[in-house]
Amino acid sequence: MNLPSLRQWLPFLNWPRPTRELLRGEFIAGMTVGLMLVPQGVAYAALAGMPLVTGIYASLLPAVVAVLFSSSTRLGVGPTALTSLLIGASLTGMAEPGSAHWVSLAVWLAILSGLLQAVVGFARFGWVMSLVTSPVLTGFTQAAALLILLSQLPALLGLRTGWHALYSQPSIHHFDFAATAFGLGSLGLLMAAKRFKPTFPAAIVVISGTALVSWLVGFADRGGAVIGHLPSGFPSLYLPEWLSWDEFGGLFMPMMVVALVSFLETTSSAKIEHQREGTRWNENQDLVAQGLAKISSGLTGGFATSASFSRSALNLYAGAKTGWSNLFATALVLVALLWLTPELYHVPNAVLAAVVVTAVTGLFKPGELMQLWKISRVEASIGIITFVLTIATAPRLYWGVLAGVVLNLSHFLFQRLHPRIIEVGMHPDGTLRDRNLWQLPALAPDLLAVRMDAELDFASASAFERRVTEALQSRPEVRNLCLFASSVNRIDITGVETFMRLRWLLAKRGGTLILSGLKLPVEQRLQKAGALENKEHLQIFRTEAETLAALQKGKEEQG
């Protein structure tokens, strides 16, 4: 393998040679992100129903693997709110959260979704991910953010029981007011820091402070819900138990959606990074990197990871320029895992809920759907339906995404089957426009001049043929057809057959088919089919100006 190919598959070989000045800036950015990564990792592990230490595992080796193999070196890879919610929701009913079987299911989900992403990336099929459009992603993201917020409310408010028990027997005794104070106080501090000083490591400061207060007041000794003991040391190799085929089947849809949503999270961050640098984004290489990161997370007992939009943005905001910042961030995570996990024992669970809520509030923007409504009501409706179905089918959140994708593909197919086909006329400003819309005269008395803004293929050919034949039948005086074909970029076999039928129909009427602005790929396909060999009843012009001049000349001769 030559060096350029090696650099393509191992992007870290393209990193600039480190200098003292470069490493100083990367160290500062890495410490900023690392101080956020540890508390978020623990909090997102709780959201996924996993043992809390696995959130730190998922922040360590996967981040290193991702930065070494990714073309987007400044992405903050690790546990994320959306992916963690999908894991917790997808496994509900299959095992008890936190149990050994639950961990095995989550590990398999990470490995399978990682394999799917890696295979798609190696095969250079990253374009498939474009099937999920912005309205579908917006609808799903808003619904998932709302579900995350609702899921964290009991812990945030110190609710000892469930909502049903509180509704059945309303009483203040359902609440642990010390936990409520920890949760709401932490939330207020985190929100204030997020607004006024985004780069300040508020999460680790709040967690450290609340752990100290919790220890001083004996919160855990009085029965308060705290993190408890977290094992320290390197994660070891984890080989999950083999599942039944029914359980593997139950992981199929979650695997697809976790891989899809993870890649969309990566897309939103990677595009910003490459736009700022003016570089081309290699989505297939990032698919490979994200897939390998998930696999490495599963094999160390962690859960599926993704690129965090908030941590990636913070990394860029802190001045990161290369992947060294992420390596420094993971070094800080390693230090925390080896020596600092016992210090997290007294952290109240309400504080973890506050960390999750603070991170997710940036995702919940219901006004985005209203903005879509102003642009396109059909696409906005697809986003709204995705939102509603994601909420309605919880915890099986993938049905919302699936429904959105199906609706979007149906809308796309409907548009392809019903292309824009207009009869054109000469506007006073000298341009060709919709004759019926602008009430324009025909270019010639015996001429039907049309333009189709689509490819002439199996999807549009039937509509085009129907439009022309109906016009010819309703207007017996029309003998000639002029097709302004500059907007037709491609033609397939069905389109060629349609073209030949229309040419035969015009010849039968004693008329002529006039082609204007035929593009080279379309012309070559028609020539291969022999559709342009006989020039009788056929005229071809390269430009609209030549076509209009010929029509004007013929009109004058007839006059």
Side-chain angles (χ1 to χ4, degrees):
M1 181 180 292
N2 55 29
L3 185 58
S5 298
L6 194 63
R7 287 180 179 274
Q8 180 181 353
W9 291 107
L10 302 175
F12 64 88
L13 296 177
N14 297 313
W15 292 6
R17 185 181 300 274
T19 62
R20 178 175 298 182
E21 183 179 356
L22 174 66
L23 292 179
R24 184 185 302 114
E26 298 299 282
F27 177 79
I28 295 173
M31 292 300 100
T32 304
V33 175
L35 290 172
M36 177 188 286
L37 188 55
V38 174
Q40 282 193 352
V42 175
Y44 292 155
L47 187 60
M50 294 287 286
L52 300 185
V53 72
T54 61
I56 304 180
Y57 294 164
S59 306
L60 189 59
L61 183 60
V64 175
V65 171
V67 75
L68 292 179
F69 289 92
S70 176
S71 65
S72 308
T73 57
R74 291 174 290 178
L75 295 182
V77 176
T80 64
L82 279 181
T83 304
S84 300
L85 173 67
L86 280 171
I87 296 167
S90 301
L91 302 184
T92 298
M94 300 180 70
E96 184 68 24
S99 64
H101 191 52
W102 179 284
V103 173
S104 291
L105 289 169
V107 167
W108 274 115
L109 185 56
I111 294 173
L112 293 175
S113 59
L115 282 173
L116 176 61
Q117 283 190 313
V119 169
V120 170
F122 278 122
R124 296 295 187 256
F125 281 173
W127 57 268
V128 174
M129 300 298 178
S130 301
L131 293 176
V132 178
T133 57
S134 178
V136 176
L137 178 61
T138 299
F140 173 76
T141 302
Q142 300 311 302
L146 180 59
L147 289 172
I148 293 173
L149 292 174
L150 293 176
S151 70
Q152 297 303 301
L153 279 181
L156 183 70
L157 300 177
L159 184 63
R160 293 191 181 98
T161 57
W163 293 112
H164 180 71
L166 178 63
Y167 177 78
S168 302
Q169 297 179 341
S171 172
I172 61 173
H173 299 293
H174 289 284
F175 293 92
D176 181 344
F177 288 104
T180 305
F182 276 120
L184 296 181
S186 300
L187 180 63
L189 292 173
L190 291 170
M191 294 295 288
K194 183 178 181 180
R195 179 177 180 181
F196 297 108
K197 189 66 173 176
T199 58
F200 182 71
I204 197 69
V205 172
V206 168
I207 280 185
S208 301
T210 53
L212 178 61
V213 173
S214 173
W215 173 69
L216 291 175
V217 300
F219 179 67
D221 297 334
R222 291 187 293 140
V226 296
I227 287 180
H229 174 70
L230 294 179
S232 58
F234 287 103
S236 56
L237 177 65
Y238 182 90
L239 298 177
E241 63 183 26
W242 189 257
L243 306 179
S244 67
W245 291 114
D246 288 340
E247 288 177 316
F248 276 123
L251 292 179
F252 179 77
M253 281 301 299
M255 170 195 71
M256 299 283 288
V257 175
V258 165
L260 185 60
V261 171
S262 168
F263 182 68
L264 293 174
E265 286 186 300
T266 302
T267 300
S268 62
S269 300
K271 284 185 176 179
I272 294 177
E273 175 180 343
H274 288 279
Q275 285 171 359
R276 288 185 55 173
E277 296 299 319
T279 55
R280 189 183 71 85
W281 177 43
N282 187 343
E283 68 274 15
N284 293 304
Q285 186 60 40
D286 278 0
L287 270 170
V288 172
Q290 294 294 325
L292 295 178
K294 286 180 174 60
I295 295 172
S296 66
S297 180
L299 293 178
T300 53
F303 49 94
T305 57
S306 184
S308 167
F309 183 81
S310 60
R311 293 196 298 271
S312 300
L314 181 61
N315 201 23
L316 292 173
Y317 189 76
K321 298 184 182 301
T322 68
W324 284 104
S325 61
N326 280 323
L327 293 182
F328 283 127
T330 54
L332 180 59
V333 173
L334 179 61
V335 170
L337 183 60
L338 293 179
W339 293 291
L340 301 181
T341 50
E343 310 304 324
L344 299 176
Y345 180 94
H346 290 280
V347 177
N349 289 342
V351 178
L352 293 184
V355 172
V356 174
V357 170
T358 305
V360 172
T361 50
L363 296 176
F364 187 57
K365 301 175 182 177
E368 289 187 356
L369 290 175
M370 297 301 101
Q371 290 285 46
L372 293 177
W373 186 265
K374 297 177 182 178
I375 302 172
S376 170
R377 293 189 176 186
V378 174
E379 293 185 88
S381 298
I382 293 174
I384 292 171
I385 293 173
T386 303
F387 174 86
V388 172
L389 289 179
T390 302
I391 298 290
T393 58
R396 300 293 182 255
L397 306 183
Y398 44 78
W399 289 115
V401 176
L402 180 63
V405 171
V406 170
L407 287 172
N408 190 70
L409 289 177
S410 300
H411 175 56
F412 171 76
L413 186 59
F414 178 84
Q415 289 181 312
R416 291 296 307 275
L417 292 172
H418 299 81
R420 183 173 183 260
I421 306 171
I422 61 172
E423 182 178 358
V424 297
M426 181 61 69
H427 192 270
D429 65 3
T431 60
L432 293 174
R433 298 196 185 186
D434 190 334
R435 182 188 168 207
N436 297 321
L437 178 64
W438 294 93
Q439 298 297 307
L440 303 174
L443 294 179
D446 60 348
L447 177 71
L448 173 65
V450 297
R451 185 182 73 215
M452 182 174 70
D453 298 331
E455 298 172 347
L456 186 56
D457 58 11
F458 71 95
S460 61
S462 178
F464 178 67
E465 185 176 8
R466 182 170 57 252
R467 174 71 173 81
V468 172
T469 54
E470 287 178 353
L472 294 176
Q473 290 174 2
S474 63
R475 295 158 61 180
E477 76 281 3
V478 173
R479 297 173 56 251
N480 304 316
L481 170 66
C482 180
L483 171 60
F484 289 93
S486 60
S487 56
V488 179
N489 298 317
R490 189 180 68 88
I491 188 171
D492 65 0
I493 294 177
T494 304
V496 171
E497 294 173 348
T498 300
F499 176 87
M500 297 180 74
R501 283 196 299 270
L502 289 176
R503 185 176 175 184
W504 174 84
L505 178 62
L506 290 167
K508 184 179 178 181
R509 294 170 71 102
T512 301
L513 174 59
I514 303 169
L515 298 177
S516 174
L518 198 64
K519 291 191 173 180
L520 184 60
V522 178
E523 184 177 357
Q524 289 175 337
R525 182 64 60 86
L526 289 172
Q527 286 175 342
K528 289 179 180 179
L532 303 179
E533 289 180 356
N534 185 3
K535 298 300 181 181
E536 187 179 1
H537 304 291
L538 177 67
Q539 294 181 13
I540 301 177
F541 299 97
R542 285 297 173 193
T543 65
E544 288 185 0
E546 292 179 4
T547 307
L548 294 174
L551 292 176
Q552 181 63 28
K553 182 178 179 181
K555 190 175 180 181
E556 291 173 355
E557 290 176 353
Q558 289 180 2

